[in-house]
Amino acid sequence: MQAEEIHQLITTFFTEMDCPVLTNDEAYMVVQLTNEMDQQIMNRPYYWQYIHSTGETPSPAQLTFITNTEKIDEKIKGEPLYLGSPRFQQIARAVKSLGAYAQLYEQAKDGESLTPWLNVNYKVSYCCHQKKEHLYSLGMNLMTGEVLQHFYESIAHRTFVETIEHNNHCLPPIITPTKAAQRLNDLLQQSIEQEEHEWAEEALAQLKKEELVLHYFFDHMDVKPERYYLEKEALEAQYTPKIQMEVVNGGVFYLNTYPTLSSS
């Protein structure tokens, strides 16, 4: 996920959560948190316990997020926000806890038809002694089965409502959301399997080196002590490559027009 996509994602999230975006530059943003959002992502339970017990007026945090370190002015001080950063992980957990599934309808003129699309957003973690994460947003047309990548980015600029507007109607899905979700899972897994995994080969090679070093120190012992097996197990846990795929959230979006990435 590129810096621009993260910026758009975070802007949309805070706007939807009623947190005023006071400054929205291409490289950074200033956000005023609500009381609820402060409690979700600021990790200061004792402060809020004090506020609730005394009844004092709370002062939720105002944060400056730097989303593009290459374009930021040196005078701007803030918190770098990128995929894998602690604050991004907190926001991702907040998204998951506040609502993992949505059913929304695009605002449209009277009498127009809306087409159902299933959107599933994934986090894929490539884990060994180092960790790398990617976000994937996939969408499937529940009428035709067409699959699109970067689906969230393609609809983030649109206006949605929670109930269908008067005189509009939804086309009935031919593919059930359950089957569509399974198909998207399979497609993403196939895509991951087809990737080059040099990182995994390098991790296994490093594991062999570390095991050789460990064996060297204990080679003179006929009976290996428990420490040997514990350290060997720790090395395997640290260097054995793993790929973890997690669904962050998703939903069914009824769209008036075909989803396309914004040119802005």
Side-chain angles (χ1 to χ4, degrees):
M1 178 171 280
Q2 302 299 316
E4 293 81 4
E5 295 174 332
I6 291 177
H7 188 101
Q8 184 181 41
L9 175 67
I10 298 302
T11 301
T12 302
F13 169 73
F14 282 118
T15 301
E16 291 297 321
M17 293 298 105
D18 297 322
C19 297
V21 180
L22 307 178
T23 304
N24 195 1
D25 183 81
E26 63 174 352
Y28 77 99
M29 67 178 66
V30 179
V31 180
Q32 175 61 58
L33 301 185
T34 61
N35 295 343
E36 294 76 12
M37 189 53 58
D38 189 297
Q39 294 175 73
Q40 282 279 343
I41 70 172
M42 290 306 296
N43 192 30
R44 46 178 188 167
Y46 295 114
Y47 169 79
W48 285 104
Q49 185 179 12
Y50 170 78
I51 292 296
H52 294 324
S53 62
T54 62
E56 291 194 13
T57 302
S59 180
Q62 184 179 113
L63 301 177
T64 299
F65 294 122
I66 298 174
T67 55
N68 193 324
T69 55
E70 296 180 357
K71 297 182 178 179
I72 192 68
D73 190 311
E74 294 180 353
K75 297 178 182 178
I76 303 298
K77 304 299 180 183
E79 181 177 352
L81 191 67
Y82 54 89
L83 190 63
S85 66
R87 185 70 72 194
F88 188 90
Q89 297 300 322
Q90 286 180 318
I91 293 172
R93 287 193 292 270
V95 171
K96 193 170 184 178
S97 66
L98 290 170
Y101 180 84
Q103 180 165 310
L104 299 173
Y105 306 85
E106 184 178 5
Q107 284 188 337
K109 297 178 181 179
D110 285 350
E112 295 191 338
S113 301
L114 304 180
T115 301
W117 287 77
L118 176 72
N119 170 225
V120 182
N121 298 312
Y122 300 89
K123 181 176 73 173
V124 178
S125 302
Y126 302 81
C127 307
C128 54
H129 58 294
Q130 298 178 331
K131 187 175 182 179
K132 180 175 66 173
E133 295 179 336
H134 287 296
L135 292 183
Y136 296 88
S137 183
L138 302 181
M140 176 178 285
N141 187 319
L142 298 183
M143 302 290 295
T144 66
E146 179 184 7
V147 175
L148 294 180
Q149 299 185 30
H150 308 292
F151 186 82
Y152 178 82
E153 291 85 353
S154 72
I155 65 171
H157 59 286
R158 303 189 182 197
T159 302
F160 290 92
V161 293
E162 295 183 355
T163 57
I164 188 169
E165 296 184 318
H166 184 62
N167 291 332
N168 293 334
H169 65 279
C170 298
L171 298 175
I174 297 174
I175 305 169
T176 66
T178 300
K179 290 184 177 180
Q182 184 58 57
R183 178 59 178 155
L184 292 179
N185 287 348
D186 293 343
L187 288 173
L188 183 55
Q189 288 178 351
Q190 292 170 12
S191 176
I192 293 171
E193 290 172 0
Q194 293 171 2
E195 294 175 350
E196 296 288 339
H197 294 295
E198 293 182 3
W199 65 275
E201 297 173 1
E202 293 173 358
L204 290 173
Q206 186 63 34
L207 173 60
K208 289 183 179 179
K209 292 180 181 179
E210 297 291 338
E211 287 180 332
L212 286 173
V213 172
L214 177 65
H215 185 72
Y216 172 80
F217 285 107
F218 291 90
D219 188 43
H220 63 285
M221 300 180 182
D222 294 332
V223 179
K224 302 291 190 294
E226 182 181 3
R227 177 187 168 194
Y228 169 82
Y229 295 101
L230 290 175
E231 291 192 20
K232 188 173 187 297
E233 183 179 345
L235 287 174
E236 291 174 350
Q238 181 180 3
Y239 287 97
T240 301
K242 298 177 289 293
I243 299 178
Q244 300 170 343
M245 190 174 79
E246 175 187 355
V247 174
V248 178
N249 55 21
V252 174
F253 294 84
Y254 287 86
L255 305 183
N256 178 39
T257 57
Y258 190 82
T260 56
L261 290 174
S262 175
S263 58
S264 59

